[in-house]
Amino acid sequence: MILRQSHFVPPVPYLLATELGFLEGVEVQPTRTTSSTKQLAGLLDGTIDVAVTAMDNVFEWDRAGADVRLIAQVEATTPLGIYARDEMATMADLAGCRFAVDAPDNGFALLARHLLGGAGIDVDYVVIGGVRERFEALLAKEIDASLLGPPFDKLAEQAGMRCVSEVNELLPQLPGQGLVVRTELLGSKELTGYLRALARGAAAGESLDEQDGVALLERHGYQAAAATAWAARARTLTVDPIGLELLTQIRRGLGMLSGRKPLAELCETGPLLRAS
């Protein structure tokens, strides 16, 4: 069985597992996605087995009918910044702007709504797609601002865009992306083997020289953001309960928990434990 994986950028444990030969005997077909909406569609129609995505997405995906579980965390955190056209210098300057998000009710869009709403800033949310698409829309001046992460945050700075706020400074407990899988794969030897390879990759990163780790990410397209992404890599695949509680509190504050299953029912640690 080939595990079909969807990701925006390949996570560090996956790249380490690939480079160091830990995926031998495990077939993975990686595909870059342009939005979490497309990830949901693939999970629903069975064309995607594994999605590397913002962990908050599992709330909406479950409500949309996808039978999925969050089983691992593949980033310690996701370095994120609110980037805007160069004439916008502060968060207050974003009032009334066209702010691009991936999807309106989940993922990083909730972070934007939480931070901007908490600051009393109203914006016009525009659904564009994944981080690459939002970055390109910002360069083309089709939008005024958006949340960007590696490598597109550094590319935006190089293109003259301004970071008006560092999300991780405001939300230091923000968890990184998670591994979401179709529930029918739980217990399969393919998934167990893949998790074992990812765990070995994450562990190997601890003994790898930082310069070598950054060079690895540069070879895989992280470019100027390689050092930032390396620093934010997962040291363990265990899902951080503090991070999950932060996401839950953000949803609660936005009045978006009604009708959603609690996270305890959407997380499954069994496969990770079996892979250890």
Side-chain angles (χ1 to χ4, degrees):
M1 175 185 175
I2 299 175
L3 289 175
R4 297 158 298 177
Q5 174 173 289
S6 168
H7 56 237
F8 294 92
V9 292
V12 176
Y14 170 74
L15 294 178
L16 285 166
T18 301
E19 290 269 331
L20 298 174
F22 298 153
L23 286 172
E24 184 176 355
V26 180
E27 293 189 77
V28 180
Q29 182 182 79
T31 303
R32 189 187 77 83
T33 188
T34 57
S35 73
S36 61
T37 302
K38 290 188 176 180
Q39 288 184 319
L40 170 59
L43 291 167
L44 285 170
D45 66 19
T47 57
I48 292 174
D49 301 309
V50 178
V52 178
T53 196
M55 291 195 289
D56 173 81
N57 287 336
V58 74
F59 277 110
E60 289 299 319
W61 290 357
D62 175 77
R63 192 173 69 92
D67 188 10
V68 295
R69 292 294 182 271
L70 171 65
I71 62 169
Q73 183 169 330
V74 293
E75 288 180 313
T77 188
T78 300
L80 287 173
I82 296 179
Y83 284 81
R85 292 186 289 108
D86 57 355
E87 62 267 31
M88 296 178 174
T90 68
M91 288 272 280
D93 293 335
L94 300 181
C97 81
R98 297 163 297 171
F99 195 102
V101 295
D102 176 15
D105 298 321
N106 55 284
F108 296 154
L110 267 64
L111 301 179
R113 291 173 61 177
H114 172 71
L115 295 174
L116 293 171
I121 299 169
D122 292 324
V123 300
D124 179 19
Y125 289 106
V126 181
V127 176
I128 294 269
V131 62
R132 180 188 296 271
E133 287 68 33
R134 298 197 304 274
F135 164 71
E136 292 173 348
L138 187 58
L139 291 189
K141 298 185 177 181
E142 296 170 359
I143 59 169
D144 302 309
S146 186
L147 278 170
L148 298 179
F152 302 102
D153 50 356
K154 300 302 180 184
L155 295 177
E157 290 178 4
Q158 292 173 357
M161 302 302 163
R162 191 187 299 266
C163 180
V164 300
S165 181
E166 295 281 357
V167 173
N168 303 82
E169 292 182 2
L170 300 175
L171 299 172
Q173 296 173 329
L174 178 69
Q177 293 189 99
L179 201 67
V180 178
V181 304
R182 291 191 291 114
T183 301
E184 65 186 69
L185 292 175
L186 299 179
S188 68
K189 65 178 182 180
E190 291 84 5
L191 182 60
T192 300
Y194 185 43
L195 284 172
R196 185 172 291 119
L198 290 181
R200 291 181 66 191
E206 290 299 88
S207 59
L208 191 66
D209 180 80
E210 180 180 357
Q211 184 175 355
D212 292 336
V214 170
L216 181 152
L217 297 190
E218 289 175 340
R219 291 197 301 273
H220 288 275
Y222 275 79
Q223 303 173 356
T228 301
W230 181 254
R233 73 189 185 279
R235 272 67 170 180
T236 172
L237 300 186
T238 303
V239 177
D240 180 10
I242 296 176
L244 290 184
E245 180 60 24
L246 171 64
L247 298 179
T248 301
Q249 292 298 334
I250 288 175
R251 276 194 170 267
R252 181 173 289 115
L254 293 171
M256 298 179 64
L257 274 183
S258 178
R260 275 76 170 178
K261 289 181 181 178
L263 277 176
E265 293 184 22
L266 299 175
C267 295
E268 173 58 64
T269 60
L272 185 57
L273 293 174
R274 287 193 290 272
S276 300

